[in-house]
Amino acid sequence: MASRVIISSKPLPRSSPRFTSLWLAYLAGLPPIRLHGMRHGAASLMLAAGVEMKVVKETLGHTSSAFTADTYTSVYPQVATAAAEKTAALLFGGEDQAAPGKLISMRS
């Protein structure tokens, strides 16, 4: 027996963005997702791909990078980890010294 998703008790007008997004998801074989969910997903994926916060902020139309950072950086902690590793590589002279999971001595 196939599972069914009930969106509303009333049918959606075919001209609505909600109907269009649900129809496109259906045609692509994807589960139904709200437009706002797609926005959050896109922002999270951009950050995970290493896109700069300013670019993500401008893409989403936010007025401040602080709001974007507060909203999305907690989604992917590995973004912060990658930033720390890149900074350590810059300070200590090479990627081999800042390999993921490798301890770096701060003493000389």
Side-chain angles (χ1 to χ4, degrees), residues 1 12 37 41 43 53 58 67 70 74 83 99:
M1 180 175 193
L12 292 168
M53 187 64 66
E58 291 171 358
F67 177 79
D70 289 345
S74 62

Side-chain angles (χ1 to χ4, degrees), residues 44 46-51 53 72-73 75-85:
S44 298
M46 284 191 289
L47 289 170
V51 175
M53 187 64 66
Y72 293 102
T73 52
V75 176
Y76 285 100
Q78 64 264 33
V79 172
T81 301
E85 289 171 353

Side-chain angles (χ1 to χ4, degrees), residues 36-73:
H36 198 71
M38 289 183 205
R39 175 182 167 92
H40 279 294
S44 298
L45 290 171
M46 284 191 289
L47 289 170
V51 175
E52 291 183 29
M53 187 64 66
K54 183 177 181 182
V55 174
V56 177
K57 172 198 82 110
E58 291 171 358
T59 301
L60 297 174
H62 292 162
T63 55
S64 97
S65 292
F67 177 79
T68 307
D70 289 345
T71 305
Y72 293 102
T73 52

Side-chain angles (χ1 to χ4, degrees), residues 85-104:
E85 289 171 353
K86 287 180 182 180
T87 302
L90 178 68
L91 290 172
F92 298 107
E95 292 184 26
D96 57 330
Q97 294 179 358
K102 183 176 180 182
L103 294 176
I104 300 172

